């Protein structure tokens, strides 16, 4: 099978197409023919410096939407021909940037009927990150005020929709060019973070969701009411955030994990018309380096996916 691998750390240019054996599903595993695989910032960080996978060679990719090809012993959820999507094995190597992937069957869920493979393949990692952060960690509820940073980005644009589906009043930060897009997602207010200090314009939120890192979490503290929470997905900033928050505001750092129930919840929202994924680009698998270059430009809206 064709896969995208690398022999050394570096920029997008280190990515290369290689031929690997088609993996065999073991007990409780399924072999999935990849129809689309999302590209995420964690892929770029791993490509450049190792992150979770140690030394190369390895195959990047955790998002996937595709078709079950074979099932291992003990699998009862799926049969060959079933359409599934998932985020298998994260943060261990899954290798979805390939023509096939093998993983435990319960790391997948049936593909949302409302989404094609490209849009479904863009959803799992950003969707589970937002779901586990806003629903399972922050317990966003109807009537609460939620601040979503980088609301037009991969995680952010899904987070806006999940918070709205939960009945929250959503405030998003985005550059002026992306305001119409963020409002179309359901945001009630949009703040141009390039022109104004969001910390001076936003107050009394119950949840602030930091998808940016740096000092964004700490700067969000004045926007949060007493007893509220700041959730960050950038673990290296959490200690400083927790220290600055003290006892007034709760904090949490989330690293998403494979979650069949979360995938089912995301699929339900998609099938009810409450959640969609925005595609910045659909790129052939063989041009993975170009996909990484596009993602690194910082000018994309939504997600980039690879298609074999």
């Amino acid at each position: 099978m064709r896969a995208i691998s690398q022999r050394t750390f570096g920029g997008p240019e280190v990515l290369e197409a290689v031929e690997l054996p088609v993996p065999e599903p073991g007990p409780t595993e399924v072999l999935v023919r990849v129809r689309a695989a999302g590209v995420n910032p964690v892929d770029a960080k791993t490509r450049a410096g190792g992150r979770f996978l140690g030394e190369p060679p390895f195959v990047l990719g955790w998002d996937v939407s595709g078709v079950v090809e074979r099932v291992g012993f003990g699998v009862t959820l799926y049969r060959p021909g079933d359409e599934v999507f998932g985020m298998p094995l994260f943060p261990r190597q899954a290798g979805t940037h390939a023509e096939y992937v093998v993983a435990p069957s319960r790391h997948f869920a049936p593909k949302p009927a409302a989404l094609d493979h490209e849009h479904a393949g863009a959803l799992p990692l950003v969707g589970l990150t937002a779901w586990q952060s806003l629903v399972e960690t922050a317990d966003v509820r109807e009537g609460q005020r939620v601040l979503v940073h980088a609301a037009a980005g991969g995680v952010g644009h899904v987070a806006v929709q999940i918070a709205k589906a939960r009945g929250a009043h959503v405030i998003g930060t985005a550059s002026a060019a992306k305001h119409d897009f963020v409002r179309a997602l359901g945001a009630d207010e949009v703040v141009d973070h390039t022109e104004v200090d969001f910390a001076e314009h936003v107050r009394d939120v119950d949840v602030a969701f930091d998808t940016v890192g740096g000092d964004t979490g700490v700067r969000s503290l004045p926007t949060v009411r007493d007893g509220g929470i700041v959730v960050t997905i950038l673990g290296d900033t959490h200690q400083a955030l927790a220290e600055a928050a003290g006892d007034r505001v709760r904090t949490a750092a989330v690293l998403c994990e494979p979650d069949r129930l979360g995938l089912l919840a995301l699929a339900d929202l998609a099938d009810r018309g409450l959640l969609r994924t925005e595609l910045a680009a659909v790129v052939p698998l063989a041009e993975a380096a170009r996909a990484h270059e596009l993602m690194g430009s910082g000018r994309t809206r939504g997600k980039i996916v690879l298609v074999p």
Side-chain angles (χ1 to χ4, degrees), residues 24-98:
E24 286 291 331
T28 76
E29 293 182 332
V30 292
L31 173 69
V32 174
R33 179 188 289 271
V34 177
R35 292 293 178 83
V39 182
N40 294 284
V42 69
D43 294 307
K45 292 176 181 178
T46 304
R47 181 208 72 224
R51 194 70 174 171
F52 300 119
L53 300 186
E55 293 291 322
F58 45 68
V59 177
L60 294 172
W62 285 277
D63 278 337
V64 62
S65 181
V67 179
V68 174
E69 189 89 356
R70 292 199 296 277
V71 302
F73 174 77
V75 173
T76 60
L77 289 176
Y78 307 113
R79 294 181 295 180
D82 288 345
E83 295 184 321
V84 296
F85 79 131
M87 185 198 69
L89 299 172
F90 187 82
R92 303 189 304 279
Q93 178 172 294
T96 65
H97 294 174

Side-chain angles (χ1 to χ4, degrees), residues 147-153 171-179 182 189-202 211-212 215-216 219-220 298:
L147 171 62
V148 177
H149 289 291
I171 306 160
T173 66
S175 61
K178 298 175 181 177
H179 280 202
V182 175
E189 304 176 43
V190 190
V191 177
D192 185 353
H193 64 94
T194 67
E195 295 293 332
V196 301
D197 183 356
F198 69 83
E200 296 180 357
H201 287 74
V202 180
T211 70
V212 178
D215 64 352
T216 301
R219 291 174 55 220
S220 297

Side-chain angles (χ1 to χ4, degrees), residues 134-269:
L134 295 180
V135 179
E136 297 182 350
T137 301
D139 190 25
V140 169
R141 300 184 302 278
E142 185 173 0
Q144 289 188 323
R145 289 167 56 83
V146 176
L147 171 62
V148 177
H149 289 291
V155 175
H157 88 287
V158 173
V160 168
Q161 296 172 82
I162 290 174
K164 283 305 296 182
R166 303 281 291 182
H169 178 97
V170 180
I171 306 160
T173 66
S175 61
K178 298 175 181 177
H179 280 202
D180 288 345
F181 169 64
V182 175
R183 288 194 180 93
L185 295 171
D188 300 283
E189 304 176 43
V190 190
V191 177
D192 185 353
H193 64 94
T194 67
E195 295 293 332
V196 301
D197 183 356
F198 69 83
E200 296 180 357
H201 287 74
V202 180
R203 283 292 181 271
D204 298 322
V205 302
D206 299 277
V207 180
F209 186 31
D210 172 23
T211 70
V212 178
D215 64 352
T216 301
V218 172
R219 291 174 55 220
S220 297
L221 290 171
T223 72
V224 181
R225 65 167 181 80
D226 290 356
I229 186 170
V230 178
V231 181
T232 181
I233 59 173
L234 289 304
D236 55 354
T237 69
H238 184 245
Q239 182 175 351
L241 171 61
E243 292 173 355
D247 295 329
R248 189 185 72 83
V249 173
R250 295 175 294 135
T251 67
V254 171
L255 179 65
C256 70
E257 55 189 297
D259 178 9
R260 181 171 179 268
L261 294 179
L263 291 170
L264 291 171
L266 295 171
D268 177 66
L269 290 177

